[in-house]
């Protein structure tokens, strides 16, 4: 199942609560595989990214990310390394 993150949460993702809410929603859906499309996301904070990966790794769902801009990819990559050394 594909989720358009920008359409659902906006183009600037700053709150860790939004990341936690996203994964909580996915955990309630009776599917196991999700693709999070970052196409419309222009900016993420480290707070959002760390909360996202913390919640993602605590979930039993298989979650992948696509269409990350270079700027978003840098922040998400740093948070991924911090949460999953």
């Amino acid at each position: 199942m594909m989720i358009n993150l920008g359409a659902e949460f906006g183009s600037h993702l700053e709150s860790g609560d939004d990341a936690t809410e996203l994964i909580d929603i996915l955990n309630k859906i009776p599917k196991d595989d999700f693709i999070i499309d970052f196409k419309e996301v222009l900016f993420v904070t480290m707070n959002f990214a760390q909360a996202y990966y913390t919640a993602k790794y605590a979930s039993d769902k298989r979650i992948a990310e696509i269409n990350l801009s270079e700027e978003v990819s840098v922040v998400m990559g740093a948070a991924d390394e911090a949460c999953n050394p």
Side-chain angles (χ1 to χ4, degrees):
M1 174 177 215
M2 186 169 311
I3 308 293
N4 182 331
L5 191 57
E8 298 297 327
F9 287 89
S11 62
H12 289 69
L13 305 174
E14 299 177 13
S15 171
D17 291 339
D18 287 343
T20 304
E21 179 183 348
L22 169 65
I23 302 301
D24 286 346
I25 291 168
L26 299 184
N27 285 331
K28 293 175 184 172
I29 297 173
K31 294 199 180 265
D32 292 327
D33 297 306
F34 294 91
I35 299 171
I36 308 300
D37 189 350
F38 278 77
K39 184 178 182 178
E40 297 176 19
V41 176
L42 304 175
F43 175 81
V44 298
T45 63
M46 184 60 79
N47 185 32
F48 173 89
Q50 286 180 322
Y52 174 85
Y53 281 111
T54 298
K56 174 183 173 178
Y57 292 130
S59 174
D60 292 332
K61 304 293 183 175
R62 289 182 296 276
I63 304 168
E65 300 80 27
I66 61 170
N67 296 323
L68 285 84
S69 70
E70 187 173 331
E71 295 82 9
V72 170
S73 182
V74 168
V75 176
M76 295 296 285
D80 188 11
E81 284 185 30
C83 293
N84 190 28

